[in-house]
Amino acid sequence: MFSTSLIALAAAALVSAATPPGFQPAGQGALIVSYGGIAAMNGVNLPKESTAKVPLIATEQPLQGTYAILMIDMDIPTNAPPQTSTLLHWAQTGFTSAQTPMVLNSTAGPKTVYVMQNLAQQPPLAEYIGPNPPARAPLAHRYAFVAVDHTQITQQGLGALSQAASERRGFDAVRALAAAGLQMNAAVAGDYFIVRNTGPIRDGSGNGSGNGTVGGGQQQQQPPPPASPAQPGGGLGQGQPVPGQPGLGQQQPVQGGGGTQNGNRPAAGSATYGPPGRVGVMGLSLAVVAVVFMGLA
């Protein structure tokens, strides 16, 4: 099946699109990459703004089976220039080729293509990151695309491919396919384009992705927000109830004392506590006089 797809793609290719020289696994067939009508093929230079969103992927002949699309930056700066590393920008499985062709109008001219579709809505193994080369050598970055036939992949192999895709920095496509149990000839089509940082080159280290989403530095801790000012009437002792503590902060009647703290009249027959009244003083005086008279008798 692989050889049939390769022959069909090579025979019908109207352009010499393929993975860039030196990239492995090399996709020999033409993979069509279009960003909103802007053709991203054959090493063309594109502004990064035009490549911010997921592109349309297509081929010039329908493919049989299920495919993964890998997008890899081949020119990530390191701290030992001119040595470079790689960065996985996108890994999406579950693509199938539409059986009905469509005319794609792009900057490369109109072309009849078969669009690659993710009909099963498979989630990406690595979400798309738009190109954003940093101001470090090399300023020009090559972004390689490769279509990999994974029709016969096992569940274990898919797990291995997912694990490999989780390590974006230093991504090795050959090793990832081998871990997934896929052969090199599973890469049936490819393409690439270039995005360039206009410079000047700046000193300093970084992850090379230019967007801080992969391997970036630690985030600065933010100071805690200032405490909210006390609300009028809030707090204990200011007439506000406290959840779970009934009575705290509220004036409550004094039980068993007859009197209250809020001026209510005591109930009939209840005892009262307070200073003696005028009647009590007169009674005491009469008692003293009676004792005196009894002593004289």
Side-chain angles (χ1 to χ4, degrees):
M1 180 174 60
F2 298 152
S3 59
T4 302
S5 298
L6 284 170
I7 293 172
L9 286 169
L14 300 179
V15 293
S16 58
T19 49
F23 179 84
Q24 293 294 330
Q28 299 301 320
L31 189 67
I32 297 169
V33 181
S34 176
Y35 286 94
I38 299 176
M41 301 181 293
N42 301 316
V44 65
N45 281 276
L46 295 179
K48 71 176 184 179
E49 291 79 10
S50 65
T51 61
K53 296 182 179 180
V54 175
L56 178 143
I57 306 294
T59 58
E60 294 174 339
Q61 291 293 318
L63 300 179
Q64 303 301 317
T66 309
Y67 292 79
I69 300 295
L70 304 178
M71 174 187 175
I72 303 167
D73 185 343
M74 300 173 59
D75 299 295
I76 296 298
T78 68
N79 293 329
Q83 181 180 351
T84 58
S85 183
T86 60
L87 182 71
L88 178 66
H89 273 251
W90 187 32
Q92 177 66 64
T93 59
F95 276 114
T96 56
S97 182
Q99 299 305 304
T100 303
M102 63 167 285
V103 176
L104 175 64
N105 292 305
S106 71
T107 52
K111 187 182 297 295
T112 300
V113 300
Y114 294 82
V115 176
M116 303 291 285
Q117 302 171 319
N118 180 15
L119 296 178
Q121 296 295 308
Q122 294 289 338
L125 301 184
E127 291 189 5
Y128 182 84
I129 299 176
N132 189 15
R136 298 183 61 197
L139 293 175
H141 286 223
R142 295 165 296 168
Y143 296 88
F145 285 81
V146 62
V148 179
D149 189 331
H150 69 75
T151 306
Q152 303 299 327
I153 196 170
T154 64
Q155 194 64 34
Q156 182 179 0
L158 186 60
L161 186 60
S162 177
Q163 177 61 35
S166 68
E167 302 292 336
R168 292 180 182 256
R169 182 68 183 265
F171 181 79
D172 187 328
V174 173
R175 185 175 300 176
L177 296 187
L182 300 174
Q183 302 297 319
M184 291 284 286
N185 62 357
V188 300
D191 211 332
Y192 78 105
F193 65 91
I194 295 173
V195 174
R196 185 184 303 272
N197 188 307
T198 57
I201 294 177
R202 299 175 183 175
D203 294 332
S205 61
N207 60 26
S209 66
N211 49 34
T213 58
V214 181
Q218 297 181 350
Q219 296 181 351
Q220 295 183 353
Q221 294 183 353
Q222 298 296 326
S228 300
Q231 299 298 322
L236 297 179
Q238 296 189 4
Q240 296 296 325
V242 179
Q245 298 290 333
L248 290 180
Q250 292 181 323
Q251 293 184 350
Q252 298 293 326
V254 178
Q255 301 297 328
T260 67
Q261 294 181 356
N262 55 14
N264 292 335
R265 184 178 297 275
S270 62
T272 59
Y273 299 87
R278 295 177 60 185
V279 175
V281 174
M282 293 178 63
L284 180 61
S285 300
L286 292 174
V288 171
V289 171
V291 171
V292 171
F293 277 104
M294 290 177 63
L296 295 176

